[in-house]
Structures are given as C-alpha cells and as structure tokens.
Amino acid sequence: MNVGFACLSIGVYHNDYKTIRKDNLTDSKLIEIIKYNLESLSYIIDYNIKNNLKLFRISSDVIPFGSSPFNQLEWWIIFKDKFKELSRKIKDNQIRVSMHPGQYTVLNSPNEEVVDRSIEDLIYHAKVLDYLETKSTSKIILHIGGVYGDKQSAMKRFLNNYQRLPQNVKDRLIIENDDRSYNIADVLEISRSLNIPVVFDNLHHKINPPNVQKTDQEWINLCRLTFKEKDGTQKVHYSEQDPLKQPGAHSKTINPNTFLDYYHLLNRDDIDIMLEVKDKNVSAVKIKDCTNKNLKAKDLESSWAKYKYSILEYSPNTYFQIRELLKDKTNLDPLHFYNRIDNALNEPLLLNNQINAIDHVWGYFKTDLIEKENYLKKLDKLKKGSLSVKSMKKYLFNLAVKNNITYLLESYYFDLV
DNA sequence: CACCGTCAAGTCGCA
DNA sequence: TGCGACTTGACGGTG
C-alpha cells in the first residue's frame, strides 16, 4: 500500500504556489511565478523522496492560467530543463504523481464555452504530466460535473464530450464520485460506457450514497475491476469528516485508529490511498509509520523532531511523557505515539505554554545583542497582550530563514495551528 | 504591519 | 433572481 497527500506540505520551506490576478498579468511576471512554483514542486518531491512517500498529487496551480488564453507562454519549452530534472527525480524514485482539476472544470456543462474551457484545462493537466514524462499510471482525476435538473442527459453529455478529448487526455482521465451529484453507482455506470477507471472516495460516498446498499469494501472491489494494467494500481481517496464543519469538510488530521480499522477491512495491500486532509504530509507520514512493519526508532524520532515544539506549545506534560516514551527503543508503538500527539494538539492553548515554546525555539538562535533586545521587547509586548502569538511565530520563522536553521524550518511548529 | 473585502472559476440550494 | 458556499493567494484599501 502506498499512501500520499495532495499538493501542499507542512514543514517544507518554499513549498507554496504563487498566482497572479488577470489585471496585473505580464509574461515576465508569469515566468517568474512559474519558476518559483516549479521550485516549490521540486522541494516537495525532495520531501517525498526523503520520507519514502510514493504517491503525490501535483497542484493544478503549478502553472497559473495554465489553460487560459491569458497565458500564451510555451512554459514547457521555457522550463524544459526544470521539467527534465523533475521528471528524473520522479522516475528514479518511482513516485506516482497525479493531478486533480478543481470544481470549475466541468466536462458535462450545457454551456458550450464551459465545456471548451474544461477540455482546454484537461489538456493543460495532461501536458504537465506528459512533460514530466510520466507513464499512463499518472492519472487526472475528474468529477462528472453538474446535473442541471436531468441527470440522464447530463451523464450522456459527459459521455459525448469525453469523445472530444485528445488521446493523451483519455489515457489519463479517471473519474471519482462526488458528495452531492454523482454517487459511486453513477460513476461506475459511466465507467462501463467509457471503460475508464473509477476512484472511490469514502467521505463523498458517506454523504452521497447510491440506493444500492454495499459496504465500502465491496464498492472498492468493484472499482478495482476498472483499473487495467496500463492504469496501474487501484487508487482511492480517503478522508475523515471534520466534526465541527459542514458535511464533506476534511478533518484537520487523520485519526490513525479509524484509518487502520478501515484499512484492515480492505484486507489487501495492492492499493494506493490518497489522503485528503488539512495537515497533508503530516498525516501521510503518520499513516506510513502506523502501517510500517519494519518501523525503526529513528522514524518516530524524526517525526518527533518536527512535532516537538507544537506539543510543547499545547501540552508540556505530553512533551515530557513522549520524550520518556521514545527512550525505549525496543518497544515501538507508533499508534500510541501518534495518539498522544493528536490528543495533545486538541488541548486548549494557554498563553504561558505558548510563551514557553517560543522561548525554547528562541534558544536555537545564536544572535547578537541587538537582536536579543528586539526579542525581549517583543516578548514583553506578547505578555502584555499587545502582540499576537501569530506575529511572534512569524518573527521566529523569519529568523530561522535568515539563519538557515534547517531543524526549525522542517518543524511543524510554524504551520500547525 | 495586521486585517478585511474582493476577485476568479461553475454549480446548486436557498431566500 | 441573485447570493452564499466551496477554495486560496493576490491585492487594494483601511486602521
């Protein structure tokens, strides 16, 4: 089983995607942004390699206006070398990348212009995967689209418009059930006509189930039959509901107990599971560790190094308990380790604890007296309530960047809230 | 420097 | 009929 995450990552420096408004768009600005975004992609790929994560979704935002006439650049030529470099990294490390156009790419719209733009958008996605020299196992995952008051006609329109796609898009296109219009039975029906793979999404399914009653495992086994050899290992999406938000909202993190129950019911290993969750790579590493039969003490230690200041911030007690726990290297219990961490991150934040964590992080810097005075002034303001913890953390992050403290730049502390 | 509204994309549910 | 929700960074304006 491979587990992966989507687009962005926590604790990776320079991992964000920049964009631009139409009003300010120029070729030179576009080039600058694409260069930056491809570097971000490169850093995230490096992170995946380092953490042995073999499944990854590339953000559609990597090329701003990638399918729009506003972007006339031949970016695949301008950045040929960068694409080559990325392609080599992905290939050498056998990372399966995919892409997932957003909710605005609607192939079955009754509006011809929307369909035209959607086809252009799918061509753009295929182009990125083509220039990364990925095989047909690198997929573009798409939802069916809208219903427009007549589902049968809308599904028919999807089938017809699919035929308008160029072959390189067809080779990669796979379809997924969504949380309000097309349930898994609908998507499987479309798959039977087009002979293309189906991605099962457990949370969408929970919210939007078909009339036919089957277990998730049964649906997943049906979807499995839609994956041919050229399509690679079956892919599914896995996410959990955020209990405080509207139905369909992804949870902050994956609960490893819930995941393992689900995974054990699947009772198979030949499956790729894309996690859709707010804390992205953090959950991917967690699940990776909790399912790793050859887990080493250093795996948990490297994870702990990234969590520790967040835990100190939320719960000093847990901080000391986990430090003790990790001293026993013969008895590894990743589930217990991650449950302790997740529980701590659910405790209420107290200013005193936050200041304590800030002071620990500050201890990493070897600064001059002027900087120290600056810090003490900020600390004083923080205690008086005239400076927010958020601002203070931002200040510390910038110091970590300036002093190039890798240990801190890789920490979850600046991103986990 | 922090915060807020707007933008940009398409659909749908709800006043 | 039109607006809010979904998503997220950029950006202009305000405090």
Side-chain angles (χ1 to χ4, degrees):
Chain A
M1 185 267 287
N2 284 322
V3 65
F5 65 97
C7 307
L8 299 168
S9 53
I10 286 174
V12 177
Y13 180 59
H14 187 340
N15 79 102
D16 55 328
Y17 294 99
K18 296 198 180 298
T19 185
I20 188 166
R21 292 259 195 103
K22 276 179 184 171
D23 299 345
N24 320 315
L25 198 143
T26 63
D27 277 1
S28 67
K29 275 187 185 159
L30 259 180
I31 288 176
E32 201 180 300
I33 289 171
I34 295 169
K35 183 169 184 283
Y36 183 92
N37 290 354
L38 288 173
E39 279 165 11
S40 289
L41 179 58
S42 184
Y43 287 128
I44 302 178
I45 300 283
D46 289 344
Y47 172 89
N48 278 295
I49 294 168
K50 201 173 164 190
N51 289 274
N52 203 27
L53 294 167
K54 301 291 189 186
L55 191 66
F56 176 62
R57 180 190 301 163
I58 294 173
S59 170
S60 301
D61 299 333
V62 67
I63 311 290
F65 298 94
S67 62
S68 156
F70 286 100
N71 184 343
Q72 290 287 346
L73 293 174
E74 292 178 307
W75 44 266
W76 57 95
I77 296 172
I78 300 171
F79 293 100
K80 200 175 159 201
D81 292 346
K82 195 67 186 170
F83 271 88
K84 263 271 181 247
E85 177 202 321
L86 285 164
S87 139
R88 201 168 306 122
K89 276 187 196 177
I90 290 167
K91 240 183 282 182
D92 288 353
N93 295 281
Q94 292 158 349
I95 296 172
R96 187 187 194 187
V97 295
S98 63
M99 294 185 85
H100 191 5
Q103 61 201 302
Y104 307 117
T105 307
V106 187
L107 193 56
N108 77 341
S109 174
N111 181 336
E112 266 306 297
E113 288 172 18
V114 172
V115 176
D116 290 344
R117 280 198 291 271
S118 297
I119 291 174
E120 283 307 314
D121 200 45
L122 290 169
I123 291 171
Y124 151 68
H125 282 85
K127 210 171 212 169
V128 172
L129 294 172
D130 286 351
Y131 280 98
L132 289 174
E133 298 173 349
T134 58
K135 292 184 289 185
S136 58
T137 55
S138 274
K139 295 301 187 190
I140 298 169
I141 295 99
L142 189 68
H143 292 291
I144 305 305
V147 171
Y148 316 93
D150 179 354
K151 204 179 209 177
Q152 281 312 311
S153 308
M155 281 165 77
K156 207 164 191 172
R157 232 172 9 250
F158 187 92
L159 301 182
N160 290 336
N161 291 339
Y162 173 87
Q163 299 310 332
R164 292 171 52 189
L165 297 170
Q167 192 56 42
N168 69 329
V169 174
K170 284 183 179 169
D171 289 341
R172 297 192 189 276
L173 197 75
I174 68 179
I175 46 182
E176 181 195 348
N177 59 314
D178 66 73
D179 57 359
R180 60 172 174 185
S181 302
Y182 293 92
N183 61 48
I184 190 63
D186 299 328
V187 178
L188 279 165
E189 188 186 323
I190 291 171
S191 161
R192 274 192 293 278
S193 299
L194 297 179
N195 202 22
I196 59 174
V198 173
V199 168
F200 179 80
D201 182 301
N202 72 313
L203 186 58
H204 292 160
H205 177 67
K206 204 184 231 173
I207 296 164
N208 180 27
N211 291 327
V212 197
Q213 299 262 334
K214 290 185 205 299
T215 64
D216 280 24
Q217 290 68 42
E218 287 170 322
W219 286 116
I220 287 172
N221 284 331
L222 281 177
C223 291
R224 183 190 195 186
L225 303 173
T226 64
F227 282 79
K228 309 285 181 268
E229 196 180 336
K230 66 178 172 54
D231 300 313
T233 308
Q234 177 180 9
K235 275 190 79 154
V236 296
H237 289 174
Y238 177 87
S239 56
E240 294 168 4
Q241 173 69 44
D242 186 320
L244 304 175
K245 294 190 181 164
Q246 80 289 346
H250 296 146
S251 61
K252 281 196 290 185
T253 193
I254 298 290
N255 180 326
N257 315 292
T258 313
F259 178 90
L260 286 178
D261 287 347
Y262 196 87
Y263 178 59
H264 290 144
L265 281 174
L266 287 185
N267 195 29
R268 21 183 288 240
D269 233 17
D270 55 337
I271 191 160
D272 282 351
I273 304 181
M274 176 61 72
L275 303 178
E276 294 182 321
V277 58
K278 293 275 175 230
D279 71 3
K280 305 284 181 184
N281 55 311
V282 178
S283 278
V285 169
K286 185 202 299 186
I287 295 308
K288 178 114 198 143
D289 285 350
C290 287
T291 53
N292 183 356
K293 292 183 184 83
N294 301 310
L295 188 75
K296 304 280 189 295
K298 69 168 173 51
D299 293 325
L300 294 188
E301 281 160 13
S302 89
S303 204
W304 175 239
K306 295 170 186 173
Y307 270 116
K308 59 193 277 189
Y309 293 118
S310 290
I311 303 305
L312 193 60
E313 179 177 36
Y314 277 88
S315 171
N317 275 340
T318 310
Y319 177 87
F320 292 112
Q321 284 162 3
I322 292 182
R323 251 180 25 170
E324 281 307 306
L325 199 97
L326 287 177
K327 283 181 184 164
D328 181 4
K329 300 194 196 306
T330 55
N331 198 10
L332 295 177
D333 188 347
L335 200 56
H336 180 63
F337 170 77
Y338 284 108
N339 277 325
R340 292 303 288 266
I341 283 175
D342 290 342
N343 286 336
L345 293 176
N346 270 322
E347 287 182 28
L349 277 167
L350 301 174
L351 185 59
N352 275 345
N353 291 342
Q354 294 191 282
I355 289 173
N356 182 38
I358 285 165
D359 225 32
H360 271 74
V361 172
W362 167 256
Y364 249 89
F365 302 119
K366 294 178 181 63
T367 58
D368 55 27
L369 283 175
I370 298 165
E371 195 65 68
K372 178 148 194 186
E373 234 170 74
N374 192 10
Y375 169 69
L376 290 174
K377 232 184 264 173
K378 281 181 187 292
L379 200 59
D380 197 46
K381 275 178 148 182
L382 188 70
K383 286 174 183 166
K384 283 186 188 142
S386 60
L387 183 80
S388 66
V389 172
K390 197 178 158 189
S391 301
M392 188 63 160
K393 284 173 93 163
K394 206 170 176 182
Y395 163 74
L396 291 174
F397 181 74
N398 288 335
L399 269 184
V401 172
K402 211 168 93 188
N403 294 288
N404 195 23
I405 316 269
T406 311
Y407 188 81
L408 290 181
L409 292 177
E410 289 181 352
S411 170
Y412 302 151
Y413 174 70
F414 300 106
D415 289 321
L416 276 190
V417 188

